[in-house]
Amino acid sequence: MKIGFVGLGHMGGPMCANLLAAGHAVRAFDIVPANVERAVARGAVKATSVADCVAGVEAVVTMLPSSPHVRSVYIGEAGVIAHARAGTLLVDSSTIDPLTAREVAFDAAARGLPMVDAPVSGGTAGAEAATLTFMVGGAERDFEAAKPLLACMGRNLVHCGAIGNGQVAKICNNLMLAIGMIATSEGMALAAKLGMDPKVFAGIVNTSSGRCWSSDTYNPYPGVLGNAPASRGYSGGFGADLMLKDLGLATEAARTAGVPVLAAALAQQLYQKHSADGHGGKDFSSIILQYLKAAP
Ligand code: NAD
């Protein structure tokens, strides 16, 4: 296929590379020229603007930081919707709020452009290895049309229902992940402070009712799991500021839906403090530093 790819950052860069590796012809655009050059080095054609990127393509994939960026890339005189040929399939894989996803898709439909929201989980490692999970919202036929393209970049392709539902799945999962990570951090830090060996305690939790992904796969206490970010100074992984962003999306969506999310609001504030303390660039499991006396 001829594909236009906008947003070649930590995730979009390797995702674009996997489309190229699968034999697709990709026009690549990013506001950071070095990111475009990296894609060109892997076989993409350099585009000089969003309009240039979507010229003559059959599908457009976007991987942008958040809702305002998605609005600015899709909507307006210089945007995707104004310049893509009618019938072009639009796939937005950014994590954004469900309402923006629905509004942009509505504008796209008015110009005969089918659209799906397709946020991902799996992180940069999943993007490199083409093993991402795609949570897809949109009409069944548009999901089917997007499948071959998504399969070049991911392993699990899940249709979540109508447009915006991919974002719903993504932000609600991350709401649970943030709260789970904070609960694990609190329990681990307290057990250690009360005199338990963190490894022994984690072993007990992981065969008991406190077990969760944050305790058995991604434990935040340094040294408990050799391959977790906690054991390499919280480098790599999923940034605390990205988690803060997703908690903002979840609490805002909850506000519009009239659903109280008390634990998520507390988690958001804790991550806000963590970011203000200068830890936003560290992996999100570093939230345990809020409980440990000094950085390990
Ligand atoms: P990133 O900041 O590394 O990449 C975003 C790219 O978009 C940048 O290269 C930026 O220059 C480009 N961009 C911004 N505005 C633009 C515009 N107007 N026109 C063209 N390009 C523009 O972010 P990322 O880590 O790749 O994340 C992208 C999305 O994926 C986010 O929504 C994030 O929440 C989500 N996500 C990230 C991860 C992760 O582990 N990094 C995991 C899952 C989901």
Side-chain angles (χ1 to χ4, degrees), residues 196 198-211:
M196 268 211 79
K199 264 193 176 175
V200 174
F201 177 62
I204 293 165
V205 168
N206 291 337
T207 53
S208 306
S209 45
R211 184 182 66 82

Side-chain angles (χ1 to χ4, degrees), residues 212-226:
C212 62
W213 184 86
S214 297
S215 72
D216 71 2
T217 307
Y218 216 83
N219 199 291
Y221 203 97
V224 168
L225 293 175

Side-chain angles (χ1 to χ4, degrees), residues 60-247:
V60 174
V61 181
T62 50
M63 193 52 165
L64 298 158
S66 200
S67 312
H69 310 84
V70 171
R71 277 186 196 282
S72 81
V73 164
Y74 278 91
I75 295 170
E77 278 176 24
V80 172
I81 293 173
H83 291 274
R85 200 164 55 188
T88 304
L89 176 66
L90 309 181
V91 179
D92 179 39
S93 282
S94 327
T95 301
I96 64 169
D97 74 272
L99 288 183
T100 298
R102 287 169 185 159
E103 281 170 21
V104 172
F106 187 80
D107 284 3
R111 276 218 54 240
L113 298 161
M115 184 163 190
V116 295
D117 57 310
V120 301
S121 67
T124 49
E128 297 277 355
T131 56
L132 293 169
T133 290
F134 282 91
M135 294 155 265
V136 187
E140 180 76 41
R141 68 174 180 283
D142 299 335
F143 171 62
E144 290 301 325
K147 256 185 176 173
L149 196 151
L150 299 179
C152 303
M153 303 180 283
R155 193 183 282 161
N156 304 310
L157 317 177
V158 185
H159 189 207
C160 302
I163 186 80
N165 281 9
Q167 302 295 350
V168 171
K170 171 73 185 170
I171 64 177
C172 292
N173 176 74
N174 278 17
L175 174 156
M176 292 165 68
L177 174 61
I179 296 168
M181 181 55 80
I182 290 168
T184 305
S185 296
E186 218 163 277
M188 289 297 304
L190 178 61
K193 188 75 179 170
L194 293 175
M196 268 211 79
D197 179 328
K199 264 193 176 175
V200 174
F201 177 62
I204 293 165
V205 168
N206 291 337
T207 53
S208 306
S209 45
R211 184 182 66 82
C212 62
W213 184 86
S214 297
S215 72
D216 71 2
T217 307
Y218 216 83
N219 199 291
Y221 203 97
V224 168
L225 293 175
N227 58 355
S231 298
R232 49 170 196 267
Y234 302 101
S235 61
F238 180 56
D241 275 346
L242 280 178
M243 180 55 93
L244 176 60
K245 183 199 98 174
D246 290 357
L247 284 165

